[in-house]
């Protein structure tokens, strides 16, 4: 199904973000997000067609109607840092959403989820800011027998991750777009917080 056919179904078009640990969707302005471990097919709203970004749990795609799977591709005059085949679709769509909001300004997308990814656009050139483990992965890396030690580990890993993110934001002179299921762990004063930039990017590409 091509873009023109999908756009004829805009009232019943489901935008879907399938991630490593959660699945989110939006239809007719209604947004929902569920942990993968709690996902049930019955939760999917009625829809005629679906636009899907998927980085993991690919078997879930079969449960959506008329799925169109999005992958990174050249976008307007953005100059990407490396081969688009190596860029995660979630990061690509975050950049699309950011560029749609700030086409003439430098911006940075910080996505805090199972992984933390940072992508910058300066003078319309994408600069890979790197990827790191998210908070849950850091905290699960090691366990201790004593509750005090475990509590200290949880606090220490949280502070370490927050400090790293905040430091990157402090040194960036441009718009800062925060997104992802773990974005609440930091309070970036000059940051703009978005529920889901992956879905925003899907909507930009498909004309909503």
């Amino acid at each position: 199904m091509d873009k023109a056919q999908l756009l004829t179904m805009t009232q019943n078009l489901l935008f879907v973000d399938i991630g490593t640990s959660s699945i989110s969707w939006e239809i007719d302005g209604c947004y929902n997000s569920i942990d993968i471990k709690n996902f049930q097919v019955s939760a999917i709203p009625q829809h005629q067609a679906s636009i899907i970004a998927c980085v993991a749990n690919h078997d879930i795609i079969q449960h959506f109607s008329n799925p169109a799977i999005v992958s990174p591709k050249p976008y307007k005059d953005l100059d990407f840092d490396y081969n688009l085949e190596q860029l995660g679709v979630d990061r690509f769509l975050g950049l699309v959403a950011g560029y749609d909001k700030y086409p003439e300004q430098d911006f940075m997308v910080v996505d805090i989820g199972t992984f933390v990814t940072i992508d910058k656009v300066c003078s319309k050139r994408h600069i890979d800011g790197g990827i790191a483990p998210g908070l849950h992965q850091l905290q699960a890396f090691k366990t201790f027998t004593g509750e005090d030690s475990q509590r200290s580990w949880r606090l220490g890993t949280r502070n370490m991750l927050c400090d790293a993110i905040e430091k990157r934001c402090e040194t960036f002179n441009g718009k800062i777009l925060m997104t992802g299921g773990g974005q609440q762990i930091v309070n970036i004063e000059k940051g703009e917080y978005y529920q889901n930039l992956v879905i925003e990017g899907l909507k930009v590409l498909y004309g909503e």
Side-chain angles (χ1 to χ4, degrees), residues 112-116 132-141 153-162 165 182 184-185:
I112 306 173
T114 304
F115 297 93
V116 176
L135 183 60
H136 177 73
Q137 288 183 302
L138 285 173
Q139 293 181 339
F141 176 71
W153 175 256
R154 289 194 296 265
L155 180 61
T157 49
R158 182 187 180 99
N159 289 343
M160 179 182 69
L161 184 61
C162 290
I165 294 171
Q184 73 281 354
I185 70 170

mmCIF file of all heavy atoms in Angstrom, residues 112-116 132-141 153-162 165 182 184-185:
data_model
loop_
_atom_site.group_PDB
_atom_site.id
_atom_site.type_symbol
_atom_site.label_atom_id
_atom_site.label_comp_id
_atom_site.label_asym_id
_atom_site.label_seq_id
_atom_site.Cartn_x
_atom_site.Cartn_y
_atom_site.Cartn_z
ATOM 1 N N ILE A 112 15.391 8.940 25.779
ATOM 2 C CA ILE A 112 15.745 8.174 26.973
ATOM 3 C C ILE A 112 14.769 7.014 27.127
ATOM 4 O O ILE A 112 13.611 7.205 27.515
ATOM 5 C CB ILE A 112 15.722 9.065 28.231
ATOM 6 C CG1 ILE A 112 16.613 10.288 28.029
ATOM 7 C CG2 ILE A 112 16.172 8.275 29.457
ATOM 8 C CD1 ILE A 112 16.532 11.304 29.149
ATOM 9 N N GLY A 113 15.232 5.832 26.797
ATOM 10 C CA GLY A 113 14.388 4.653 26.885
ATOM 11 C C GLY A 113 15.213 3.468 27.336
ATOM 12 O O GLY A 113 16.043 3.579 28.238
ATOM 13 N N THR A 114 15.007 2.311 26.701
ATOM 14 C CA THR A 114 15.836 1.144 26.995
ATOM 15 C C THR A 114 17.300 1.494 26.754
ATOM 16 O O THR A 114 18.194 1.057 27.480
ATOM 17 C CB THR A 114 15.424 -0.046 26.119
ATOM 18 O OG1 THR A 114 14.032 -0.310 26.316
ATOM 19 C CG2 THR A 114 16.223 -1.283 26.459
ATOM 20 N N PHE A 115 17.536 2.273 25.727
ATOM 21 C CA PHE A 115 18.838 2.880 25.472
ATOM 22 C C PHE A 115 18.672 4.393 25.498
ATOM 23 O O PHE A 115 17.561 4.910 25.332
ATOM 24 C CB PHE A 115 19.392 2.445 24.116
ATOM 25 C CG PHE A 115 19.654 0.968 24.012
ATOM 26 C CD1 PHE A 115 18.693 0.119 23.508
ATOM 27 C CD2 PHE A 115 20.863 0.440 24.443
ATOM 28 C CE1 PHE A 115 18.925 -1.256 23.412
ATOM 29 C CE2 PHE A 115 21.114 -0.924 24.353
ATOM 30 C CZ PHE A 115 20.133 -1.775 23.844
ATOM 31 N N VAL A 116 19.774 5.090 25.706
ATOM 32 C CA VAL A 116 19.786 6.543 25.588
ATOM 33 C C VAL A 116 20.520 6.879 24.293
ATOM 34 O O VAL A 116 21.675 6.483 24.112
ATOM 35 C CB VAL A 116 20.499 7.207 26.779
ATOM 36 C CG1 VAL A 116 20.579 8.719 26.574
ATOM 37 C CG2 VAL A 116 19.763 6.883 28.076
ATOM 38 N N ALA A 132 23.903 4.784 24.619
ATOM 39 C CA ALA A 132 24.356 4.252 25.901
ATOM 40 C C ALA A 132 23.219 3.439 26.530
ATOM 41 O O ALA A 132 22.049 3.591 26.153
ATOM 42 C CB ALA A 132 24.765 5.396 26.829
ATOM 43 N N PRO A 133 23.530 2.586 27.483
ATOM 44 C CA PRO A 133 22.466 1.834 28.157
ATOM 45 C C PRO A 133 21.520 2.781 28.893
ATOM 46 O O PRO A 133 21.940 3.811 29.423
ATOM 47 C CB PRO A 133 23.229 0.945 29.151
ATOM 48 C CG PRO A 133 24.629 0.910 28.652
ATOM 49 C CD PRO A 133 24.866 2.224 27.974
ATOM 50 N N GLY A 134 20.248 2.417 28.931
ATOM 51 C CA GLY A 134 19.275 3.180 29.697
ATOM 52 C C GLY A 134 19.361 2.836 31.172
ATOM 53 O O GLY A 134 20.129 1.959 31.596
ATOM 54 N N LEU A 135 18.539 3.495 31.982
ATOM 55 C CA LEU A 135 18.619 3.338 33.437
ATOM 56 C C LEU A 135 18.349 1.906 33.873
ATOM 57 O O LEU A 135 19.065 1.353 34.722
ATOM 58 C CB LEU A 135 17.632 4.298 34.107
ATOM 59 C CG LEU A 135 17.656 4.301 35.640
ATOM 60 C CD1 LEU A 135 19.033 4.696 36.148
ATOM 61 C CD2 LEU A 135 16.593 5.251 36.189
ATOM 62 N N HIS A 136 17.324 1.272 33.313
ATOM 63 C CA HIS A 136 16.991 -0.091 33.733
ATOM 64 C C HIS A 136 18.139 -1.044 33.443
ATOM 65 O O HIS A 136 18.487 -1.908 34.267
ATOM 66 C CB HIS A 136 15.729 -0.577 33.024
ATOM 67 C CG HIS A 136 15.378 -1.990 33.342
ATOM 68 N ND1 HIS A 136 14.849 -2.357 34.570
ATOM 69 C CD2 HIS A 136 15.496 -3.143 32.616
ATOM 70 C CE1 HIS A 136 14.658 -3.674 34.578
ATOM 71 N NE2 HIS A 136 15.038 -4.168 33.417
ATOM 72 N N GLN A 137 18.767 -0.893 32.286
ATOM 73 C CA GLN A 137 19.890 -1.764 31.940
ATOM 74 C C GLN A 137 21.083 -1.550 32.866
ATOM 75 O O GLN A 137 21.739 -2.506 33.285
ATOM 76 C CB GLN A 137 20.305 -1.530 30.493
ATOM 77 C CG GLN A 137 19.315 -2.077 29.474
ATOM 78 C CD GLN A 137 19.829 -1.882 28.066
ATOM 79 O OE1 GLN A 137 20.104 -0.768 27.655
ATOM 80 N NE2 GLN A 137 19.966 -2.962 27.327
ATOM 81 N N LEU A 138 21.349 -0.296 33.207
ATOM 82 C CA LEU A 138 22.443 -0.002 34.121
ATOM 83 C C LEU A 138 22.182 -0.599 35.501
ATOM 84 O O LEU A 138 23.060 -1.217 36.107
ATOM 85 C CB LEU A 138 22.638 1.513 34.243
ATOM 86 C CG LEU A 138 23.309 2.226 33.076
ATOM 87 C CD1 LEU A 138 23.273 3.727 33.291
ATOM 88 C CD2 LEU A 138 24.742 1.748 32.893
ATOM 89 N N GLN A 139 20.967 -0.419 35.998
ATOM 90 C CA GLN A 139 20.645 -0.895 37.340
ATOM 91 C C GLN A 139 20.599 -2.410 37.418
ATOM 92 O O GLN A 139 20.876 -3.003 38.460
ATOM 93 C CB GLN A 139 19.329 -0.279 37.801
ATOM 94 C CG GLN A 139 19.418 1.218 38.024
ATOM 95 C CD GLN A 139 18.132 1.845 38.503
ATOM 96 O OE1 GLN A 139 17.053 1.292 38.336
ATOM 97 N NE2 GLN A 139 18.241 3.014 39.109
ATOM 98 N N ALA A 140 20.249 -3.061 36.311
ATOM 99 C CA ALA A 140 20.160 -4.524 36.298
ATOM 100 C C ALA A 140 21.515 -5.183 36.042
ATOM 101 O O ALA A 140 21.639 -6.410 36.129
ATOM 102 C CB ALA A 140 19.172 -4.973 35.224
ATOM 103 N N PHE A 141 22.514 -4.377 35.771
ATOM 104 C CA PHE A 141 23.832 -4.908 35.424
ATOM 105 C C PHE A 141 24.450 -5.693 36.577
ATOM 106 O O PHE A 141 25.153 -6.676 36.374
ATOM 107 C CB PHE A 141 24.755 -3.754 35.005
ATOM 108 C CG PHE A 141 26.167 -4.173 34.713
ATOM 109 C CD1 PHE A 141 26.463 -4.913 33.580
ATOM 110 C CD2 PHE A 141 27.197 -3.826 35.577
ATOM 111 C CE1 PHE A 141 27.772 -5.302 33.307
ATOM 112 C CE2 PHE A 141 28.507 -4.217 35.313
ATOM 113 C CZ PHE A 141 28.780 -4.952 34.179
ATOM 114 N N TRP A 153 23.492 1.392 44.728
ATOM 115 C CA TRP A 153 23.757 1.117 43.314
ATOM 116 C C TRP A 153 22.701 1.763 42.427
ATOM 117 O O TRP A 153 23.027 2.395 41.417
ATOM 118 C CB TRP A 153 23.808 -0.388 43.094
ATOM 119 C CG TRP A 153 23.949 -0.806 41.659
ATOM 120 C CD1 TRP A 153 22.970 -1.305 40.858
ATOM 121 C CD2 TRP A 153 25.126 -0.750 40.860
ATOM 122 N NE1 TRP A 153 23.450 -1.573 39.607
ATOM 123 C CE2 TRP A 153 24.776 -1.244 39.575
ATOM 124 C CE3 TRP A 153 26.435 -0.341 41.102
ATOM 125 C CZ2 TRP A 153 25.706 -1.329 38.539
ATOM 126 C CZ3 TRP A 153 27.351 -0.426 40.067
ATOM 127 C CH2 TRP A 153 26.985 -0.913 38.801
ATOM 128 N N ARG A 154 21.442 1.633 42.834
ATOM 129 C CA ARG A 154 20.359 2.232 42.044
ATOM 130 C C ARG A 154 20.495 3.746 42.003
ATOM 131 O O ARG A 154 20.339 4.375 40.947
ATOM 132 C CB ARG A 154 18.999 1.831 42.611
ATOM 133 C CG ARG A 154 18.630 0.365 42.392
ATOM 134 C CD ARG A 154 17.158 0.125 42.657
ATOM 135 N NE ARG A 154 16.810 0.380 44.047
ATOM 136 C CZ ARG A 154 16.759 -0.558 44.995
ATOM 137 N NH1 ARG A 154 17.053 -1.819 44.686
ATOM 138 N NH2 ARG A 154 16.423 -0.260 46.226
ATOM 139 N N LEU A 155 20.767 4.345 43.150
ATOM 140 C CA LEU A 155 20.923 5.793 43.210
ATOM 141 C C LEU A 155 22.143 6.252 42.424
ATOM 142 O O LEU A 155 22.092 7.235 41.675
ATOM 143 C CB LEU A 155 21.036 6.245 44.668
ATOM 144 C CG LEU A 155 21.204 7.755 44.898
ATOM 145 C CD1 LEU A 155 19.993 8.515 44.352
ATOM 146 C CD2 LEU A 155 21.390 8.053 46.382
ATOM 147 N N GLY A 156 23.247 5.516 42.578
ATOM 148 C CA GLY A 156 24.480 5.903 41.885
ATOM 149 C C GLY A 156 24.358 5.818 40.376
ATOM 150 O O GLY A 156 24.820 6.722 39.663
ATOM 151 N N THR A 157 23.743 4.754 39.872
ATOM 152 C CA THR A 157 23.594 4.622 38.419
ATOM 153 C C THR A 157 22.644 5.685 37.875
ATOM 154 O O THR A 157 22.865 6.224 36.784
ATOM 155 C CB THR A 157 23.069 3.227 38.047
ATOM 156 O OG1 THR A 157 21.922 2.900 38.849
ATOM 157 C CG2 THR A 157 24.134 2.166 38.267
ATOM 158 N N ARG A 158 21.604 5.993 38.619
ATOM 159 C CA ARG A 158 20.675 7.047 38.180
ATOM 160 C C ARG A 158 21.398 8.386 38.103
ATOM 161 O O ARG A 158 21.276 9.124 37.113
ATOM 162 C CB ARG A 158 19.484 7.135 39.131
ATOM 163 C CG ARG A 158 18.440 8.174 38.734
ATOM 164 C CD ARG A 158 17.387 8.333 39.808
ATOM 165 N NE ARG A 158 16.393 9.334 39.430
ATOM 166 C CZ ARG A 158 15.213 9.056 38.916
ATOM 167 N NH1 ARG A 158 14.862 7.794 38.705
ATOM 168 N NH2 ARG A 158 14.379 10.017 38.606
ATOM 169 N N ASN A 159 22.145 8.723 39.154
ATOM 170 C CA ASN A 159 22.867 10.000 39.173
ATOM 171 C C ASN A 159 23.903 10.067 38.066
ATOM 172 O O ASN A 159 24.083 11.111 37.424
ATOM 173 C CB ASN A 159 23.546 10.199 40.521
ATOM 174 C CG ASN A 159 22.557 10.491 41.636
ATOM 175 O OD1 ASN A 159 21.411 10.860 41.370
ATOM 176 N ND2 ASN A 159 22.973 10.303 42.879
ATOM 177 N N MET A 160 24.600 8.959 37.825
ATOM 178 C CA MET A 160 25.620 8.920 36.775
ATOM 179 C C MET A 160 25.004 9.187 35.407
ATOM 180 O O MET A 160 25.526 9.990 34.617
ATOM 181 C CB MET A 160 26.316 7.557 36.776
ATOM 182 C CG MET A 160 27.380 7.395 35.703
ATOM 183 S SD MET A 160 28.144 5.745 35.721
ATOM 184 C CE MET A 160 26.738 4.756 35.158
ATOM 185 N N LEU A 161 23.871 8.524 35.111
ATOM 186 C CA LEU A 161 23.224 8.702 33.820
ATOM 187 C C LEU A 161 22.685 10.119 33.668
ATOM 188 O O LEU A 161 22.858 10.753 32.620
ATOM 189 C CB LEU A 161 22.099 7.679 33.657
ATOM 190 C CG LEU A 161 21.384 7.688 32.303
ATOM 191 C CD1 LEU A 161 22.358 7.378 31.178
ATOM 192 C CD2 LEU A 161 20.232 6.685 32.297
ATOM 193 N N CYS A 162 22.041 10.612 34.719
ATOM 194 C CA CYS A 162 21.493 11.972 34.662
ATOM 195 C C CYS A 162 22.594 13.002 34.453
ATOM 196 O O CYS A 162 22.447 13.929 33.646
ATOM 197 C CB CYS A 162 20.728 12.289 35.946
ATOM 198 S SG CYS A 162 19.177 11.389 36.125
ATOM 199 N N ILE A 165 23.780 12.987 30.803
ATOM 200 C CA ILE A 165 22.812 13.614 29.893
ATOM 201 C C ILE A 165 22.810 15.128 30.084
ATOM 202 O O ILE A 165 22.840 15.897 29.116
ATOM 203 C CB ILE A 165 21.405 13.035 30.118
ATOM 204 C CG1 ILE A 165 21.370 11.556 29.718
ATOM 205 C CG2 ILE A 165 20.366 13.820 29.317
ATOM 206 C CD1 ILE A 165 20.089 10.842 30.116
ATOM 207 N N GLY A 182 11.738 7.195 29.479
ATOM 208 C CA GLY A 182 12.466 7.520 30.703
ATOM 209 C C GLY A 182 12.843 8.985 30.830
ATOM 210 O O GLY A 182 13.664 9.346 31.666
ATOM 211 N N GLN A 184 11.585 11.397 32.203
ATOM 212 C CA GLN A 184 11.301 12.055 33.470
ATOM 213 C C GLN A 184 12.467 11.981 34.460
ATOM 214 O O GLN A 184 12.442 12.649 35.500
ATOM 215 C CB GLN A 184 10.043 11.453 34.119
ATOM 216 C CG GLN A 184 10.212 10.060 34.701
ATOM 217 C CD GLN A 184 10.179 8.959 33.662
ATOM 218 O OE1 GLN A 184 9.924 9.199 32.495
ATOM 219 N NE2 GLN A 184 10.400 7.729 34.091
ATOM 220 N N ILE A 185 13.512 11.199 34.152
ATOM 221 C CA ILE A 185 14.615 11.088 35.112
ATOM 222 C C ILE A 185 15.476 12.348 35.132
ATOM 223 O O ILE A 185 16.260 12.535 36.063
ATOM 224 C CB ILE A 185 15.508 9.852 34.843
ATOM 225 C CG1 ILE A 185 16.322 10.022 33.548
ATOM 226 C CG2 ILE A 185 14.696 8.575 34.841
ATOM 227 C CD1 ILE A 185 17.396 8.956 33.361
#
